[in-house]
Amino acid sequence: MKEKIYKIREEAMNEISKMKSMDELEELRIKFLGKKGELTQVLREMGKLSKEERPVVGEIANDVRKDIEAELNSKRERLKNEMKKKKLEKERIDISMPGKEIILGHRHPLMATREELENIFLSMGFSVVCGPEIETVQNNFDALNSPENHPSRDLSDTFYITEDMLLRTHTSPVQIRTMRERKPPLRIVSAGRTFRFDDVDDTQSPMFHQLDGLVVDENVTMANLMDTISTFIKELFGEDMETRFRPHYFPFTEPSAEVDVSCVKCKGKGCEACNGTGWSMELLGCGMVDPKVLENCGIDPEKYSGFAFGLGIDRIAMVKYGINDIRLLFENDMRFLNQF
Amino acid sequence: MLLPIKWLKDYVDINVDSKILADKLTLSGSHVESIIELNSEIENVVVGHILEIKDHPNADKLCITITDVGSEKLQIVTGATNIKEGDYVPVALVGARLPGGVKIKKGKLRGEESFGMLCSLKELGVKDSVIPKEQKDGIFILDKEYPLGMDIKEVLGLYGEVIEFEITPNRPDCLSIVGMARETCATLNKKMKYPSIKINKEEDNINDYLRGIEILDKELCNRYFARVIKDVKIASSPLWLQTRLMEAGVRPINNIVDITNYVMLEFGEPLHAFDLDKIIDKKIYVRKALENEKLVTIDGVERSLNSSNLVIADGEKPVAIAGIMGGSETEVTDDTRTILIEAANFNDRSVRLTSKSLGLRTEASSRFEKGIDPNLCQIACNRVCQLIEEIGAGKVVGGYFDNYVQEKKETSIVIRPKRVHKLLGIEIEKSKIIEILESLELKVEDKGEFLEVLVPTFRLDLEREIDLIEEIGRIYGFHNIKNEPLVGVLTRGEKPYDRQIEDKSKSILQGLGANEVMTYSFISPKAYDKMNLKEDSAKRQCVQIINPLGEDYSVMRTTLMPNMMELLSRNYNYGVERAFAFEIGNIFIPREIPVKTLPIERKTLCIGMYGEADYFYLKGVVETFLERLGIVKCNYLREENHPTFHPGRTANIIYENKVLGVMGEVHPDVLENYDIDERVYIAELDFEGIVEIADLDKKYKPLPKYPAIVRDLAIVLDEDIMFRDVEGVIWSKGEGLIEKVELFDVYTGEQIPKGKKSVAFSITYRSHERTLKDEEVSQIHQNIVHEIEETFKANLRS
């Protein structure tokens, strides 16, 4: 009987080692240890044994059962690990294949630029204000001190709706509106669409975009203007950008200046893009608000002074993104917009 | 404005090189656009004397010259036809360099050796536009004898630097060499050397030649100054005069015209010379033209004038359009013997309008338009006489006519040094202020607290204290002002609420996958036809531009949809497979027709898409967009009558009984109009309405503590029963325990009777107070099924 039991163990161990799957293993368990299993069968015959023999054989049988169970468990564990490993191996993918296409929209480069400019001025304490695209001649020209026979008032320069209404030619009328509605101190910027009678080509468009700024307070000086503009330019293009104030003429400011900045390409060293001058020309126009303009808006020019500035957003966007044809901005080709 | 440095040096001593000069002038307000270096590349071109010209044995079109260049006599083959023996000409020697990198080598032309090249002005680098007509084709024949072998650069003098300026409209006085010389003096702190104007000999008296000058329109002509030259000999100008003109960008014509041009460039006063023998009655009238009066101008064009055009006339008819162009009949020709030199001052506005209405812009008209000091007339006219005398082109007749309506005098302006400081932000000593003003030829009297400044008449732009402050600022140099940060109450920058919502909207739409687009505010009125709008549609009532760039840009848009269709069509036709775009922009609604007051500008949102798009995709975008702005209770009501849209696939977006917008599939007719062969979906929403109801306040709701029970429900009902109605029944019978109703399938076809559809819902039940029991949910669900079956005559699908 002992021999039988040992044989079962030997047989079981041998077979377990050959098993390749969990199912086979379970079958094996039933075969040896199940209710009708071989070991159970042997134990049923225990009755035939002598009193003395019974506990001894019983003990042996229990040991054998434990041994088989232990072997089964360990085999099961090994099989499980192997299967896990196999599964992971099977799940190997080509990680070089493209990711799933997730479509996120794109901001228009002009609008993104406008927002960037506005944000710089917001951080400098300027408030954003807005004005209409159709303006009065009064706000667009007269109040801004534009000479009565100035060519910019011609039908060949400006779009008119009636004799005294037009499509604004700059965002400066918003300054007039603001000065009439609010009291100094004022610190505002206003950006938006502007219009001039220009046929479409690669550098001009009948509709373009400007940003205008205005500061009015007591004791505002040209030195303040220059500081504000230089700060803005550094914020926009980087600390290493220099600004140059060139005296210029605008009807609504005096003294007036045009601002050049270090060439964006060569940072002032001189290259082909800047004709070797090191300066990107005419980025921005500015000046001290003409006393007549303040007066036109009911502000006492002896008490208050101010400065104003204006710049073309389209041009800055084009410089910033290296766009060489303004038409691209209004064609709205998705393949263009998808780049921003 | 072209400023030849050599010419400038006649009036100012300049001791800096041109680049430094250009930088300094730029920083004092005369913006230098470029520095042009004339012909610096020329080397080894010398004066030669043609001794002999022989035929070329092998070529009809070539000839052989023997040319003496001093050191040797050279055989040179040329194709020129304008040379003769004895001419002095420029010779490019073997090894010479010409502009454009041309190098001259010894050559053989049809078997004959050639040791150099005879040059034309063009080959010497002169621009076509300024080469005298008679010199245009052929070798440049020098005007007289020059030492053989002399460097041609010295002969021509056409070498040196020319600075090109952008002159601002307030400084017409700078459109002259003298004006720029004054600026240079102020900038470099130098003394101006004015040319001395002196006529040595005068013969006869002007009254023997001209009976008088009458200004009939004193508003449009403030001054008419005239002198007479007799015994005129028309010829080419001497070389020095020609090259000066060429350097300044003007083509030499003949001695008289060249001198008037020279003086115009020098002082900025346009002048005109009439053939006095052709002036009828020997009398000059400055008057308005008669209606439809005709004049053939010197460009050969017959001009039809009207009564707002100012003309110069003789006793019979107009002889010039004042300040713009002379008539061809009285033009100076080779036969002219006596001339009248006109130096006048015409009204800037009148010249501008006439020039515009005739479509005729000239150097003279563009100068008069900008304004000219009337005191220049006499100086300029005398300068012309002086130069004519100097080069022997005629004899100056004694006396002059000078009709001066209102003499322009120096004006006086008071300036407070304190005010200078207050505006510029830098303390400039009074003595420095005086120095700067005086450097600009202003006379200053120190009155203690203020300065009294006398402004010369050539400075038309200086009228007020602020004008002087600007002068001080620019000559002192903005670059010498130290930046000072703004001081004052610290304010926080604010953005208006509607702009905040706009920014937020844009990022939501971007997140939903749409590209932002920008289109023009003006459109073609034909767009309304293309959009299929009815004849009486309110959208057709639009603001019109009086002077549009063309019909395509002639009316202010009342809807953003046409531009959206246009750009989708463009993309489609470029072969872009899929487009999804939005624009936020204004529409313009007139308050009355015809427009009298500023129209209403209303911010509007338009969304458009094609490719991988359908009605529900668009609706999903609209719903999500609104939901993220806190707008949740929108209703979508069927719209069958919008002519732009598909009658069965269009909805009005309603919020509390107000139409917020419209969305749907674009009508096939409209697609055809826009040449798109694919379904397009568009929504247009009133953005200002959205701003009003947007609610960005978010409040946290506790997360559910108890489990949910989900039950599905599939029913078969009539095809035209709307989802919204069935959903309404579900909610109404839910006893407040429904959390969510989801539509997950709509099916028609096999197994479903014709005219019916199968609709499947998934209903989530949940209580916030307790765990729901299966039985109670079953009961509610049962009731819902029952109610749906009753209401819609529907059947539960098994």
Side-chain angles (χ1 to χ4, degrees):
Chain A
M1 188 127 189
K2 273 187 207 167
E3 287 73 39
K4 243 182 185 173
I5 293 173
Y6 285 130
K7 195 152 181 256
I8 287 174
R9 182 167 74 178
E10 199 178 325
E11 219 175 291
M13 294 300 180
N14 193 22
E15 280 191 48
I16 287 172
S17 73
K18 289 180 198 152
M19 291 301 98
K20 293 238 162 68
S21 80
M22 296 293 248
D23 290 348
E24 284 174 336
L25 208 61
E26 180 62 14
E27 269 170 40
L28 215 62
R29 187 187 67 82
I30 294 165
K31 180 180 169 199
F32 290 104
L33 304 180
K35 278 182 188 165
K36 289 174 187 166
E38 281 176 32
L39 191 61
T40 323
Q41 299 286 349
V42 175
L43 289 180
R44 282 214 183 110
E45 287 164 29
M46 287 265 278
K48 294 177 193 163
L49 294 178
S50 65
K51 252 183 185 175
E52 296 75 34
E53 270 181 318
R54 243 183 262 166
V56 180
V57 174
E59 206 172 316
I60 292 171
N62 263 336
D63 287 349
V64 167
R65 171 179 284 271
K66 272 183 195 153
D67 288 350
I68 294 176
E69 269 174 356
E71 188 56 25
L72 277 170
N73 280 341
S74 109
K75 178 73 181 184
R76 200 176 284 130
E77 205 52 37
R78 259 177 287 145
L79 270 179
K80 219 164 136 188
N81 284 337
E82 249 167 60
M83 276 164 66
K84 244 192 228 164
K85 212 172 143 203
K86 263 192 198 142
K87 186 171 176 242
L88 291 178
E89 262 164 32
K90 232 171 97 185
E91 284 173 357
R92 192 180 172 83
I93 53 167
D94 177 358
I95 47 78
S96 72
M97 289 200 307
K100 195 158 188 130
E101 192 186 9
I102 289 164
I103 297 175
L104 206 58
H106 301 263
R107 287 301 299 277
H108 193 285
L110 258 180
M111 290 294 102
T113 307
R114 176 177 97 165
E115 216 171 289
E116 187 182 346
L117 300 179
E118 283 177 346
N119 285 340
I120 293 174
F121 284 108
L122 281 164
S123 76
M124 290 165 74
F126 286 69
S127 285
V128 171
V129 294
C130 300
E133 293 173 43
I134 298 179
E135 261 294 0
T136 59
V137 170
Q138 161 72 25
N139 284 345
N140 192 80
F141 287 129
D142 302 345
L144 284 161
N145 210 22
S146 159
E148 206 187 309
N149 59 355
H150 198 271
S152 66
R153 290 179 181 244
D154 285 353
L155 283 165
S156 57
D157 273 66
T158 298
F159 296 111
Y160 282 87
I161 302 296
T162 66
E163 229 176 52
D164 35 50
M165 267 188 275
L166 43 68
L167 297 189
R168 64 176 177 186
T169 59
H170 44 187
T171 39
S172 310
V174 183
Q175 295 180 15
I176 298 295
R177 287 173 176 270
T178 309
M179 283 192 279
R180 284 187 176 150
E181 280 161 23
R182 304 184 198 173
K183 295 246 156 339
L186 297 172
R187 250 186 230 195
I188 57 143
V189 285
S190 179
R193 298 177 170 213
T194 47
F195 306 86
R196 269 175 216 176
F197 196 94
D198 283 325
D199 250 318
V200 185
D201 66 18
D202 53 353
T203 58
Q204 44 187 22
S205 156
M207 184 180 98
F208 54 102
H209 294 77
Q210 276 194 347
L211 178 135
D212 238 76
L214 172 75
V215 172
V216 182
D217 202 349
E218 290 177 32
N219 302 315
V220 173
T221 67
M222 187 83 193
N224 297 148
L225 162 62
M226 290 169 58
D227 184 71
T228 305
I229 299 299
S230 306
T231 309
F232 160 69
I233 299 285
K234 283 193 190 328
E235 285 286 325
L236 182 64
F237 290 116
E239 275 299 318
D240 49 352
M241 286 311 238
E242 292 300 321
T243 39
R244 175 172 87 165
F245 290 78
R246 237 179 332 99
H248 197 70
Y249 166 77
F250 301 110
F252 33 92
T253 51
E254 191 160 11
S256 306
E258 264 188 344
V259 181
D260 301 332
V261 303
S262 321
C263 174
V264 179
K265 257 203 179 132
C266 64
K267 309 258 178 215
K269 285 186 205 87
C271 68
E272 229 169 83
C274 59
N275 282 328
T277 58
W279 296 103
S280 291
M281 294 295 177
E282 294 159 42
L283 196 79
L284 183 149
C286 61
M288 301 301 293
V289 181
D290 193 291
K292 227 187 264 170
V293 173
L294 291 174
E295 251 168 52
N296 289 343
C297 300
I299 294 172
D300 178 5
E302 284 293 314
K303 182 168 181 205
Y304 293 103
S305 53
F307 63 76
F309 53 88
L311 52 90
I313 301 175
D314 314 62
R315 195 154 161 227
I316 291 189
M318 287 171 80
V319 170
K320 197 169 135 73
Y321 297 108
I323 299 166
N324 52 7
D325 187 337
I326 196 170
R327 281 171 292 206
L328 285 166
L329 295 176
F330 302 107
E331 251 183 18
N332 298 301
D333 189 323
M334 295 298 143
R335 295 164 300 180
F336 170 77
L337 295 173
N338 286 341
Q339 297 177 29
F340 301 97
Chain B
M1 163 77 199
L2 293 173
L3 178 68
I5 300 291
K6 253 189 311 178
W7 197 347
L8 178 69
K9 282 182 173 167
D10 283 359
Y11 317 105
V12 202
D13 292 324
I14 293 167
N15 48 7
V16 292
D17 81 21
S18 301
K19 286 204 174 55
I20 294 174
L21 177 67
D23 275 348
K24 286 188 182 255
L25 284 169
T26 292
L27 288 176
S28 72
S30 308
H31 184 198
V32 171
E33 289 193 316
S34 60
I35 303 175
I36 305 156
E37 216 165 311
L38 292 172
N39 309 327
S40 59
E41 304 148 289
I42 294 182
E43 260 174 47
N44 267 327
V45 182
V46 300
V47 174
H49 184 211
I50 300 177
L51 299 174
E52 197 186 339
I53 303 178
K54 310 183 280 199
D55 289 342
H56 192 293
N58 309 319
D60 292 346
K61 295 214 167 139
L62 297 176
C63 57
I64 298 167
T65 70
I66 304 297
T67 303
D68 187 356
V69 294
S71 53
E72 53 189 326
K73 296 184 178 64
L74 300 171
Q75 166 165 315
I76 296 173
V77 180
T78 174
T81 53
N82 69 325
I83 46 169
K84 58 184 189 303
E85 288 173 3
D87 279 347
Y88 286 82
V89 291
V91 180
L93 302 174
V94 171
R97 260 175 204 286
L98 293 175
V102 178
K103 227 177 154 181
I104 301 301
K105 281 181 249 169
K106 192 174 101 177
K108 237 183 198 177
L109 282 143
R110 293 285 193 104
E112 288 292 331
E113 287 196 305
S114 183
F115 299 88
M117 185 175 99
L118 309 184
C119 302
S120 67
L121 276 179
K122 194 174 175 183
E123 281 156 343
L124 293 174
V126 180
K127 266 207 272 177
D128 255 346
S129 60
V130 300
I131 296 176
K133 283 206 174 103
E134 68 273 13
Q135 295 282 6
K136 236 178 175 156
D137 318 295
I139 304 305
F140 179 42
I141 315 288
L142 298 174
D143 58 340
K144 58 180 197 231
E145 192 183 322
Y146 288 90
L148 298 181
M150 183 178 173
D151 190 335
I152 198 71
K153 289 194 271 191
E154 273 174 60
V155 177
L156 282 174
L158 239 181
Y159 302 92
E161 282 153 326
V162 177
I163 303 184
E164 189 181 8
F165 289 96
E166 173 208 12
I167 303 296
T168 54
N170 62 326
R171 293 301 304 276
D173 61 301
C174 286
L175 293 166
S176 64
I177 311 288
V178 164
M180 282 315 301
R182 286 193 199 108
E183 278 298 305
T184 310
C185 286
T187 303
L188 301 179
N189 204 10
K190 297 272 179 189
K191 192 101 186 96
M192 177 81 184
K193 296 183 291 182
Y194 281 102
S196 83
I197 299 173
K198 208 176 127 217
I199 298 158
N200 288 322
K201 199 174 160 207
E202 295 180 8
E203 286 181 22
D204 309 342
N205 187 280
I206 192 166
N207 287 304
D208 308 336
Y209 294 81
L210 189 64
R211 287 169 49 219
I213 288 165
E214 225 176 298
I215 300 179
L216 298 176
D217 194 313
K218 294 187 161 46
E219 291 231 326
L220 301 190
C221 177
N222 190 32
R223 192 177 189 186
Y224 200 101
F225 188 95
R227 294 201 68 158
V228 171
I229 308 288
K230 65 167 191 172
D231 299 341
V232 170
K233 279 169 278 178
I234 302 294
S236 292
S237 301
L239 202 52
W240 69 264
L241 179 53
Q242 291 197 30
T243 52
R244 278 237 156 141
L245 292 180
M246 287 193 272
E247 280 175 354
V250 174
R251 184 206 303 274
I253 312 264
N254 62 42
N255 47 9
I256 298 298
V257 174
D258 289 354
I259 286 173
T260 57
N261 280 336
Y262 181 91
V263 176
M264 176 176 74
L265 293 173
E266 187 179 34
F267 284 98
E269 167 73 26
L271 297 132
H272 187 67
F274 292 99
D275 186 334
L276 186 53
D277 296 328
K278 298 194 178 133
I279 298 284
I280 293 169
D281 288 350
K282 302 291 169 263
K283 188 126 197 221
I284 293 288
Y285 298 93
V286 184
R287 61 162 168 91
K288 285 204 173 125
L290 306 173
E291 205 58 45
N292 261 326
E293 210 167 4
K294 302 278 194 292
L295 171 69
V296 178
T297 41
I298 57 172
D299 54 1
V301 178
E302 188 186 72
R303 311 275 170 183
S304 181
L305 306 169
N306 65 49
S307 59
S308 65
N309 303 144
L310 191 72
V311 295
I312 312 303
D314 60 15
E316 209 168 69
K317 58 188 185 318
V319 293
I321 306 169
I324 300 175
M325 196 181 264
S328 69
E329 213 166 303
T330 53
E331 185 184 3
V332 172
T333 65
D334 289 350
D335 307 323
T336 299
R337 307 296 304 151
T338 321
I339 57 172
L340 171 79
I341 309 286
E342 165 201 287
N345 193 269
F346 301 112
N347 177 279
D348 47 4
R349 191 178 151 80
S350 157
V351 170
R352 193 169 68 86
L353 293 178
T354 299
S355 148
K356 214 162 175 154
S357 73
L358 294 175
L360 181 60
R361 253 194 125 208
T362 60
E363 180 72 35
S365 74
S366 74
R367 286 171 181 271
F368 278 117
E369 277 176 19
K370 292 173 181 121
I372 295 174
D373 174 14
N375 290 335
L376 271 179
C377 295
Q378 185 161 11
I379 299 167
C381 199
N382 284 335
R383 178 72 164 159
V384 169
C385 294
Q386 175 195 16
L387 291 174
I388 287 176
E389 182 180 59
E390 247 176 57
I391 67 165
K395 291 178 181 158
V396 181
V397 170
Y400 55 82
F401 281 106
D402 183 13
N403 289 20
Y404 201 161
V405 178
Q406 192 168 20
E407 194 189 336
K408 188 161 176 65
K409 299 216 167 84
E410 288 179 328
T411 50
S412 146
I413 306 174
V414 163
I415 176 170
R416 298 159 290 174
K418 261 194 191 149
R419 187 82 183 149
V420 177
H421 174 214
K422 197 167 177 199
L423 283 175
L424 296 184
I426 186 164
E427 201 129 18
I428 304 176
E429 301 230 349
K430 191 154 85 176
S431 59
K432 181 71 187 168
I433 291 177
I434 294 173
E435 186 191 312
I436 289 172
L437 293 173
E438 285 178 343
S439 78
L440 291 160
E441 299 188 30
L442 313 187
K443 291 178 203 136
V444 185
E445 210 176 309
D446 189 349
K447 303 254 177 169
E449 282 288 290
F450 62 91
L451 306 173
E452 198 174 313
V453 180
L454 271 185
V455 180
T457 55
F458 62 78
R459 287 303 299 272
L460 303 169
D461 59 316
L462 301 183
E463 293 171 340
R464 302 171 295 158
E465 181 184 38
I466 190 72
D467 301 331
L468 296 182
I469 294 175
E470 175 171 61
E471 295 298 296
I472 294 160
R474 72 179 180 92
I475 299 296
Y476 184 81
F478 292 159
H479 52 287
N480 291 322
I481 297 176
K482 201 173 150 273
N483 292 3
E484 291 276 354
L486 272 171
V487 289
V489 185
L490 201 61
T491 50
R492 192 173 72 92
E494 281 175 356
K495 216 175 212 182
Y497 181 66
D498 66 324
R499 274 297 311 280
Q500 292 175 32
I501 299 289
E502 187 181 325
D503 293 351
K504 173 102 185 157
S505 300
K506 286 179 176 180
S507 53
I508 296 169
L509 288 161
Q510 190 185 352
L512 289 168
N515 281 349
E516 184 179 22
V517 294
M518 297 234 35
T519 64
Y520 289 156
S521 300
F522 29 61
I523 60 173
S524 164
K526 286 203 183 117
Y528 299 121
D529 299 332
K530 283 175 96 174
M531 296 301 283
N532 251 0
L533 292 184
K534 294 197 189 87
E535 281 303 318
D536 59 353
S537 165
K539 297 266 178 224
R540 288 180 184 265
Q541 301 287 316
C542 47
V543 178
Q544 301 195 358
I545 297 170
I546 298 178
N547 56 327
L549 271 179
E551 200 197 10
D552 283 354
Y553 308 120
S554 63
V555 302
M556 301 305 287
R557 57 185 179 183
T558 51
T559 156
L560 303 191
M561 289 195 284
N563 282 345
M564 181 60 78
M565 284 306 294
E566 207 74 63
L567 78 91
L568 291 179
S569 159
R570 196 175 305 129
N571 276 284
Y572 178 78
N573 287 296
Y574 283 162
V576 176
E577 276 173 29
R578 178 183 177 280
F580 178 14
F582 76 94
E583 176 172 21
I584 295 179
N586 284 338
I587 58 167
F588 303 83
I589 306 156
R591 291 175 204 272
E592 68 283 300
I593 298 277
V595 175
K596 287 196 196 91
T597 48
L598 289 180
I600 297 163
E601 294 187 16
R602 218 166 157 85
K603 225 177 250 179
T604 304
L605 163 66
C606 187
I607 302 171
M609 57 172 83
Y610 72 77
E612 291 172 43
D614 62 23
Y615 172 85
F616 295 107
Y617 193 114
L618 176 65
K619 189 172 176 187
V621 167
V622 170
E623 283 176 327
T624 311
F625 165 69
L626 292 173
E627 187 259 318
R628 292 305 292 270
L629 289 175
I631 303 168
V632 282
K633 284 179 282 172
C634 278
N635 233 332
Y636 296 82
L637 297 186
R638 189 183 286 290
E639 167 62 62
E640 291 173 309
N641 297 315
H642 196 309
T644 304
F645 287 100
H646 190 306
R649 296 184 170 188
T650 302
N652 283 317
I653 306 159
I654 312 283
Y655 182 85
E656 286 181 353
N657 299 322
K658 272 207 311 223
V659 178
L660 208 55
V662 61
M663 56 169 230
E665 184 175 316
V666 175
H667 197 285
D669 289 350
V670 176
L671 293 180
E672 210 170 286
N673 293 340
Y674 283 97
D675 204 13
I676 305 180
D677 207 10
E678 185 161 358
R679 292 174 193 264
V680 171
Y681 300 85
I682 282 197
E684 186 171 56
L685 290 96
D686 173 28
F687 193 76
E688 295 191 12
I690 290 173
V691 171
E692 270 170 44
I693 55 178
D695 181 4
L696 299 186
D697 272 354
K698 302 269 187 214
K699 286 280 178 299
Y700 151 82
K701 278 189 215 119
L703 301 177
K705 280 191 208 131
Y706 303 99
I709 294 177
V710 180
R711 290 285 160 89
D712 290 351
L713 165 65
I715 45 169
V716 176
L717 35 60
D718 280 354
E719 229 170 1
D720 53 5
I721 291 171
M722 288 179 99
F723 161 78
R724 184 183 35 244
D725 299 334
V726 182
E727 191 198 12
V729 168
I730 295 174
W731 284 100
S732 72
K733 289 283 157 188
E735 295 178 21
L737 294 175
I738 293 179
E739 186 178 70
K740 196 164 68 178
V741 177
E742 259 178 312
L743 174 73
F744 71 86
D745 187 39
V746 179
Y747 175 75
T748 54
E750 256 179 83
Q751 297 166 347
I752 305 293
K754 254 201 151 160
K756 303 268 182 191
K757 62 181 171 187
S758 158
V759 183
F761 295 92
S762 162
I763 306 173
T764 308
Y765 298 90
R766 195 199 299 269
S767 160
H768 284 276
E769 281 128 31
R770 63 203 161 81
T771 303
L772 291 177
K773 289 196 195 91
D774 226 28
E775 309 84 72
E776 75 183 307
V777 168
S778 296
Q779 189 54 51
I780 298 170
H781 199 68
Q782 205 55 51
N783 293 345
I784 290 172
V785 172
H786 188 70
E787 186 69 20
I788 291 175
E789 283 176 333
E790 287 281 296
T791 314
F792 304 107
K793 298 199 175 62
N795 298 313
L796 193 64
R797 199 176 168 207
S798 43

